Amino acid sequence: MLQNEQDPIPPAEDADLVGAALRRSLLALVVLGVVAGGAVWWFARPAAPKDSRITPLEAPLAATTGPRPPQVRFTAVGAECGVGFVHRNGATGSKLLPETMGGGVAFLDFDADGDPDLLFVNSGDWPGSTDRPAASHSRLFRNDTPAGGPWRFTDVTEGSGLDHPFYGMGAACADFDGDGLTDILLTGVGGVRLLRNRGEARFEDMTRQSGIPAEGGDWTTAAAWFDADNDGDLDLFVGRYVGWTPALDREVNNQLVGVGRAYGRPWNFPGTAPSLWRNDGTDPGTGTTRFTDVAAESGLVIRNPATGHPMAKTLAVAPIDLNEDGWVDLVMANDTVQNFVFTNRHDGTFREVGAQSGIAFDAYGQTRGAMGIDAARFRNDRALGIAIGNFANEMNALYVRQPVREQLVFADEAIPEGLGPASRLLLKFGLFFFDYDLDGRLDVLTANGHIEEDIEKIQADVRYRQPAQLFWNAGGGSTFSAAGPEECGPDLFTPVVGRGSAYADVDADGDLDVVITQINGAPLLLRNDQGLGHGWVRVRLVGDRGNLEAIGAWVTVATGDGRRLSRHVMPTKSYLSQSELTLTFGLGPATADSAEVRWPDGSNTRHAIQPRTLNVLRRAR
């Protein structure tokens, strides 16, 4: 019978194979023993003598610190100065998203007496609410402070036209009709309110007559007056946040572990589109100014390529001439979607170049929660910087234009410039450049505060109320360093639920004072008490009839020590807020006797100026 391939190995062959395997195992054991013995000898051998040529390791030296911020104290001025405003958001536990966004503040000279008055934007109660008293409203305070004297404001809201309920968010103030009086635009939940200044602290609601819808479900946020088409009058940009209704908010039903219902996140709501209201002129008979929304044909409506829906979730805007061609461009700070950069094409249209310019995303191509914005030449050269305050666990951004010929290229230099790492844990809203110590270099202040009252339950190292941050510009390499209570006193760093912020010289002493608003609380009014002896120059421009406040102009002051300090006449900055139009130039120990003005129409003039005083420079007719 033939043997099958599957039969077992014969016994004789089996014995031979077993013997061979045994011999191989014994040989392997011998080899292992030799290796083990060698290893024992190696590790037990005497230590070799040290080679004196080897440098021993040492602990790294601490980094050399640069100059410290100067001693400049900010002193809180309480309600005794006459500002009795307290913000209210109308919250009753439903956690509706607008409740946590807060209100802005504006310094404006509504009575044309030369000093900055104060407008606080209030939110108030929801329509139909029965849990609170009658709806609150925004408040206007006239500045009655004597030069260099104690602060004194008078509440002139009653009967002003501002004393009507409106769930407000932001403000933009300018003389849009050229009558010499500064007018007011309020943004908020339900559209906008356009209030024409009639004098004597009286404002007339011109929203419907102007062609701007007075009612609606829009949630408007950042707004800015600027001359978009270089025709000599002021146009109006109005940004929107998200597509929102109370019903949609409740349906989203955002929850936090350990907290329960929480304020919704922007990505749970649809995007929006801004408006660009073109100024079509003022009827000399009625005094009514008409506006037409040209955002779509101007190219400002950016849609998601996948869905076709608008993308913007705008909380701040910076109107600024990015490429120095004499036409104002726009940078829109968006929350959780990319920032937009619109360059002006000179023909009534804009081109969106956010990604190409480097401003749309962070250095890793990620979007951030952008809140407040400002733009300035903070290095006292031609390099423009755009600073943006971002959400918690996201650093401030500082996009700086790069010297790339004939291209608009920015790089985020927040880390090497010292504006980034120290800001990471805080949730930044208001942000602006200003020279608080009058040394001629622009510093940065941010107003901070979280959006969720119970954040400490889920993040032990994060607080709802947060201190402001002040970054002193030391110049040179790592430009900014954080100033603290040891340099500026404790008042500036009082923990608040910070939102809007603005600056102005309230008491006409030459330095810049600060106001910070907060959710459901009184604002921080902070008097700058610096006494460094630095020189300064204040400049106010008077422009042409359609733009009497010369919004969009640049002023450059040449100092005796060779510096050229450039400042932009643009009150729109920070978060939902506006700072004074008058420009302040700190001189440090230097002097200055002339200023160059590039007016909004592109013409240039030179003027003599006097230090330590207000210089009013007029456009030659």
Side-chain angles (χ1 to χ4, degrees):
M1 185 174 68
L2 294 174
Q3 184 176 327
N4 191 289
E5 293 180 353
Q6 303 300 322
D7 287 345
I9 297 174
E13 289 184 44
D14 194 9
D16 291 341
L17 288 173
V18 170
L22 214 19
R23 288 191 294 273
R24 287 195 296 271
S25 297
L26 289 172
L27 180 60
L29 286 172
V30 171
V31 172
L32 285 173
V34 171
V35 171
V40 170
W41 173 83
W42 176 264
F43 288 109
R45 75 193 191 286
K50 293 183 178 179
D51 189 336
S52 60
R53 293 172 299 176
I54 298 175
T55 303
L57 294 175
E58 296 178 355
L61 296 174
T64 303
T65 58
R68 290 298 304 159
Q71 297 289 320
V72 175
R73 188 177 186 89
F74 285 87
T75 303
V77 179
E80 66 273 9
C81 74
V83 177
F85 173 76
V86 176
H87 177 268
R88 286 175 51 193
N89 67 355
T92 58
S94 296
K95 294 292 182 85
L96 300 177
L97 182 56
E99 296 167 356
T100 196
M101 302 309 291
V105 59
F107 278 113
L108 73 159
D109 184 9
F110 79 86
D111 53 2
D113 66 350
D115 57 23
D117 309 300
L118 265 172
L119 170 67
F120 291 98
V121 183
N122 209 354
S123 301
D125 303 311
W126 291 110
S129 173
T130 58
D131 297 328
R132 296 284 182 97
S136 52
H137 44 71
S138 298
R139 301 275 291 279
L140 181 65
F141 296 88
R142 186 184 65 225
N143 187 350
D144 294 325
T145 303
W151 286 20
R152 186 162 62 243
F153 287 86
T154 302
D155 189 342
V156 296
T157 309
E158 186 175 356
S160 68
L162 286 160
D163 49 349
H164 296 289
F166 176 60
Y167 201 95
M169 300 292 293
C173 308
D175 178 11
F176 67 79
D177 54 4
D179 65 355
L181 297 172
T182 300
D183 311 294
I184 295 173
L185 178 99
L186 298 178
T187 66
V189 178
V192 301
R193 298 290 183 272
L194 182 62
L195 303 169
R196 182 186 177 195
N197 191 337
R198 306 293 288 182
E200 301 298 325
R202 298 292 183 269
F203 291 82
E204 179 183 3
D205 192 333
M206 300 292 291
T207 315
R208 291 183 185 277
Q209 297 95 311
S210 71
I212 300 175
E215 303 294 340
D218 288 347
W219 180 355
T220 57
T221 51
W225 295 98
F226 73 109
D227 189 358
D229 47 12
N230 274 13
D231 65 351
D233 56 26
L234 292 175
D235 309 297
L236 173 64
F237 171 91
V238 177
R240 293 176 174 84
Y241 189 31
V242 295
W244 178 89
T245 65
L248 179 58
D249 202 330
R250 293 185 178 96
E251 184 178 340
V252 166
N253 193 27
N254 186 48
Q255 300 281 325
L256 286 178
V257 176
V259 172
R261 179 167 168 78
Y263 287 109
R265 301 173 182 179
W267 53 80
N268 290 328
F269 298 90
T272 60
S275 288
L276 179 60
W277 296 98
R278 184 187 64 213
N279 188 330
D280 294 329
T282 302
D283 186 322
T286 64
T288 300
T289 306
R290 298 284 299 179
F291 294 87
T292 301
D293 190 356
V294 295
E297 53 263 49
S298 295
L300 296 185
V301 179
I302 304 299
R303 298 184 181 275
N304 187 312
T307 65
H309 296 150
M311 288 180 59
K313 298 182 179 182
T314 305
L315 288 177
V317 63
I320 186 78
D321 182 0
L322 295 170
N323 46 20
E324 300 183 79
D325 62 357
W327 293 70
V328 178
D329 312 298
L330 293 171
V331 183
M332 291 168 56
N334 289 317
D335 189 4
T336 70
V337 299
Q338 66 204 63
N339 300 318
F340 294 149
V341 177
F342 293 100
T343 54
N344 198 320
R345 287 175 161 169
H346 312 174
D347 60 359
T349 67
F350 293 80
R351 177 173 175 245
E352 205 289 303
V353 295
Q356 299 96 306
S357 68
I359 297 175
F361 306 100
D362 69 8
Y364 302 98
Q366 302 295 316
T367 61
R368 291 188 275 200
M371 306 295 180
I373 192 171
D374 196 10
R377 291 177 178 154
F378 69 97
R379 290 176 178 163
N380 291 335
D381 58 16
R382 301 193 73 85
L384 183 71
I386 299 171
I388 299 177
N390 293 308
F391 201 79
N393 295 318
E394 299 172 347
M395 292 184 293
N396 290 324
L398 181 59
Y399 299 103
V400 181
R401 187 172 181 189
Q402 304 299 295
V404 180
R405 189 174 181 180
E406 298 180 356
Q407 293 187 45
L408 194 65
V409 178
F410 287 77
D412 189 352
E413 299 185 12
I415 293 178
E417 290 286 357
L419 201 62
S423 71
R424 182 184 295 275
L425 289 181
L426 298 173
L427 203 168
K428 288 75 66 182
F429 277 87
L431 174 151
F432 54 70
F433 290 99
F434 76 137
D435 183 2
Y436 78 91
D437 60 340
L438 299 179
D439 65 354
R441 297 185 295 265
L442 290 173
D443 315 295
V444 173
L445 184 139
T446 67
N448 313 308
H450 213 277
I451 62 171
E452 186 59 58
E453 300 104 315
D454 298 317
I455 188 63
E456 296 170 33
K457 294 181 180 178
I458 54 177
Q459 296 184 35
D461 58 345
V462 178
R463 298 291 180 266
Y464 181 50
R465 290 175 174 79
Q466 299 179 357
Q469 275 195 310
L470 179 61
F471 294 91
W472 176 62
N473 186 341
S478 183
T479 300
F480 295 99
S481 60
E486 60 274 19
E487 291 95 10
C488 299
D491 293 353
L492 176 62
F493 306 100
T494 302
V496 294
V497 193
R499 293 296 185 262
S501 60
Y503 63 81
D505 182 6
V506 170
D507 43 16
D509 63 354
D511 53 34
L512 294 174
D513 310 297
V514 171
V515 60
I516 296 174
T517 69
Q518 65 168 321
I519 294 281
N520 275 357
L524 278 181
L525 302 171
L526 298 155
R527 187 184 64 229
N528 187 333
D529 288 332
Q530 68 85 27
L532 301 173
H534 289 163
W536 52 270
V537 170
R538 301 256 296 161
V539 173
R540 179 185 301 146
L541 299 185
V542 179
D544 290 326
R545 191 77 184 165
N547 184 5
L548 280 173
E549 295 160 316
I551 290 175
W554 281 91
V555 179
T556 301
V557 170
T559 66
D561 56 2
R563 292 178 295 169
R564 290 178 60 81
L565 314 179
S566 293
R567 305 287 184 263
H568 193 208
V569 182
M570 182 53 66
T572 302
K573 54 192 65 188
S574 185
Y575 171 75
L576 306 176
S577 298
Q578 181 165 307
S579 292
E580 68 174 352
L581 280 163
T582 301
L583 303 177
T584 296
F585 295 81
L587 302 177
T591 60
D593 57 13
S594 67
E596 299 173 12
V597 181
R598 194 192 78 182
W599 297 92
D601 66 357
S603 62
N604 294 278
T605 58
R606 178 182 287 273
H607 305 259
I609 56 174
Q610 295 294 325
R612 294 187 178 274
T613 189
L614 173 65
N615 297 262
V616 179
L617 309 183
R618 299 181 182 275
R619 175 79 167 87
R621 297 294 192 271

